[in-house]
Amino acid sequence: MEEALFLKIMEDLSSFPYAGRISPHFYGEPTIDTRLVHLMRLARKMVPKAELIIHTNGTHLDRALYRDLLSAGVTGFLVTRHTPKWPKGILDIMTNEPNAAKTMKVRDLEQATLFNRGGTVKPKRPRTLRSCFYLSDEIASTHNGEVVCTNDFHITESFGSVRNSHLLNDIWWGEEFSNLRKELRSGQFRLPVCKVCSAGVKKTSTPELVQIRDHISPPLPI
């Protein structure tokens, strides 16, 4: 994402003022972006109440970058293992950094219950829902500014562009997007991507069919 667009998003969020989570990724690895420390410093300055959470596979995260990101205002890290063994940098951080236990959460997806990412993957333990609060809890902006569901890997449904619309006033609080979130919370899966996603799969009476909400307090009014 170009810096000008990143700044536009931060500016839109700062008008609320936004106090939810900001994570600089959309199915990519943020730590390979050499601008990451700089961008997180800008985000902390422009949206001071936000939680800045880095989602990473840990392969490029070492103690130096970890410290630089914390100094830039990053709140914490969510590290997901995608390699046979935990990356050496992550083990080094967890062993030797005094604040690692407070700032870093590590997880292994082997036994996790997962979304199918808009029908893209087939998890060993798929997550299925009677209703979906996911889009009410978080959204993503692609590198070119399209606002999408974070489960929409193939970007099949855009809810607007932050290039020419205000992220909050025009898109999040817009009538069409507000109505869609209400439909999803009531169990109506109208969009094609929703029908094949974890929330739209055929309902069964199996125990894993549950209603979930990933975040107790959404960052914005729903």
Side-chain angles (χ1 to χ4, degrees):
M1 177 182 288
E2 62 199 60
E3 185 171 320
L5 182 57
F6 180 83
L7 292 174
K8 164 65 166 57
I9 294 172
M10 295 303 107
E11 183 179 356
D12 288 356
L13 291 175
S14 69
S15 67
F16 179 53
Y18 182 72
R21 187 185 70 194
I22 298 173
S23 294
H25 76 283
F26 182 65
Y27 297 105
E29 175 50 50
T31 58
I32 65 176
D33 190 336
T34 58
R35 307 170 301 162
L36 184 60
V37 173
H38 169 64
L39 294 176
M40 292 300 94
R41 187 173 287 114
L42 291 175
R44 174 55 67 212
K45 181 179 180 180
M46 298 180 69
V47 198
K49 295 183 179 181
E51 286 193 334
L52 306 182
I53 307 295
I54 305 296
H55 288 234
T56 175
N57 59 29
T59 56
H60 290 78
L61 185 62
D62 57 20
R63 292 177 69 187
L65 181 55
Y66 167 82
R67 290 178 176 180
D68 287 346
L69 286 167
L70 288 180
S71 296
V74 166
T75 310
F77 302 79
L78 176 59
V79 185
T80 304
R81 184 172 68 85
H82 291 278
T83 52
K85 296 181 179 180
W86 283 103
K88 293 182 179 180
I90 299 303
L91 296 177
D92 187 22
I93 293 169
M94 295 300 293
T95 301
N96 298 303
E97 287 295 331
N99 293 321
K102 297 179 180 180
T103 60
M104 183 173 289
K105 178 180 179 181
V106 296
R107 63 179 182 178
D108 191 322
L109 299 184
E110 187 63 27
Q111 300 300 321
T113 302
L114 304 171
F115 287 98
N116 69 12
R117 298 305 190 191
T120 302
V121 295
K122 296 182 179 180
K124 293 181 181 179
R125 297 169 58 87
R127 177 177 291 179
T128 53
L129 312 174
R130 289 191 181 96
S131 58
C132 183
F133 283 83
Y134 209 74
L135 202 57
S136 294
D137 287 334
E138 60 183 43
I139 53 176
S141 171
T142 66
H143 72 282
N144 61 359
E146 298 300 321
V147 176
V148 299
C149 175
T150 55
N151 274 315
D152 191 2
F153 177 81
H154 293 291
I155 314 176
T156 64
E157 192 71 38
S158 173
F159 307 115
S161 173
V162 292
R163 286 189 180 277
N164 48 38
S165 301
H166 193 283
L167 178 58
L168 302 181
N169 296 336
D170 300 328
I171 299 176
W172 181 266
W173 286 311
E175 182 178 0
E176 183 176 353
F177 194 33
S178 296
N179 288 338
L180 174 63
R181 296 198 305 274
K182 183 177 181 180
E183 290 177 2
L184 291 172
R185 294 195 299 270
S186 66
Q188 301 177 58
F189 307 118
R190 172 169 50 86
L191 298 180
V193 65
C194 297
K195 293 179 180 178
V196 297
C197 193
S198 297
V201 295
K202 184 177 180 180
K203 297 179 176 63
T204 69
S205 58
T206 54
E208 71 268 19
L209 183 60
V210 295
Q211 175 176 318
I212 68 158
R213 188 166 186 168
D214 284 344
H215 310 291
I216 295 176
S217 297
L220 295 169
I222 58 178

